[in-house]
Amino acid sequence: MDTSVTIIGIVIAVIVAIPLYFSARANAVNKAKIQEIKKKFNPSNLFNFDQTESINKKVLTIDQKNRKFILMNFNPNQQEATYVDLKTVSSCKLVLTSDSDSDTILKIDFEFQEKETAKKIIIPFYDFDDDRIKQISVYQDHQFAKKWLKIIQDSI
């Protein structure tokens, strides 16, 4: 009886430990990627990206004092990091692209307007084609994008 209870306890511990190990490992890899990208855009450590948040494989970080912004997308289909100097930008807004037949949001983009050239910088934030759960995370992403839009506008 004692042997069977011990074996069952070990099996349960292994079943719990393996997912925790892989989760912690993936989290460490993501943190390392985020730090690497921050160093890439800040080689001389002049900036202090004091506010960093993530949602659904997207990481947004901002240095409000020096007015710098980075959006990192760790989506398997399209991994990219975009840096914006908010000192050169006059405005920022969210651009939603919806399906013409329904109210389904297909894309959410941040659109920055440059001061001097009036050129638009478009940074993709949400894409329906990259959403694995299809329309489940769009609401969360939209609310998160609205929150960050306000943070960015306050920094501009």
Side-chain angles (χ1 to χ4, degrees):
M1 181 80 174
D2 290 337
T3 306
S4 62
V5 170
T6 304
I7 291 172
I8 291 172
I10 291 172
V11 169
I12 290 173
V14 168
I15 289 172
V16 170
I18 289 175
L20 289 175
Y21 167 75
F22 284 111
S23 176
R25 186 172 154 224
N27 193 19
V29 168
N30 284 343
K31 283 184 179 181
K33 282 182 187 178
I34 291 168
Q35 291 303 322
E36 181 181 316
I37 291 170
K38 284 181 180 180
K39 285 181 184 176
K40 175 183 168 186
F41 293 113
N42 185 16
S44 57
N45 287 333
L46 296 174
F47 311 132
N48 177 22
F49 292 100
D50 50 354
Q51 189 170 0
T52 302
E53 290 185 88
S54 65
I55 188 170
N56 299 328
K57 300 212 177 243
K58 295 170 207 64
V59 178
L60 290 86
T61 186
I62 193 166
D63 177 353
Q64 291 180 322
K65 180 182 173 192
N66 295 310
R67 298 170 32 197
K68 310 295 180 193
F69 171 73
I70 302 174
L71 186 142
M72 300 169 237
N73 189 349
F74 295 119
N75 189 323
N77 298 341
Q78 176 185 357
Q79 291 193 6
E80 64 182 351
T82 308
Y83 169 82
V84 178
D85 185 354
L86 299 177
K87 292 177 185 174
T88 64
V89 170
S90 63
S91 67
C92 177
K93 66 180 182 178
L94 284 179
V95 178
L96 303 176
T97 305
S98 299
D99 187 15
S100 59
D101 299 332
S102 66
D103 291 336
T104 304
I105 295 175
L106 300 177
K107 286 181 75 176
I108 300 173
D109 297 324
F110 281 101
E111 183 180 285
F112 294 91
Q113 178 97 26
E114 286 187 347
K115 285 181 184 177
E116 295 180 12
T117 62
K119 178 182 156 191
K120 293 180 181 177
I121 302 169
I122 297 175
I123 302 175
F125 182 74
Y126 170 84
D127 192 344
F128 182 79
D129 295 332
D130 295 336
D131 190 357
R132 293 180 183 205
I133 308 174
K134 302 297 180 205
Q135 284 300 109
I136 299 297
S137 64
V138 69
Y139 178 77
Q140 292 174 333
D141 283 2
H142 189 206
Q143 296 306 313
F144 190 72
K146 284 181 186 177
K147 174 185 173 185
W148 270 86
L149 176 65
K150 182 173 179 356
I151 293 169
I152 293 167
Q153 288 174 337
D154 290 345
S155 295
I156 293 175

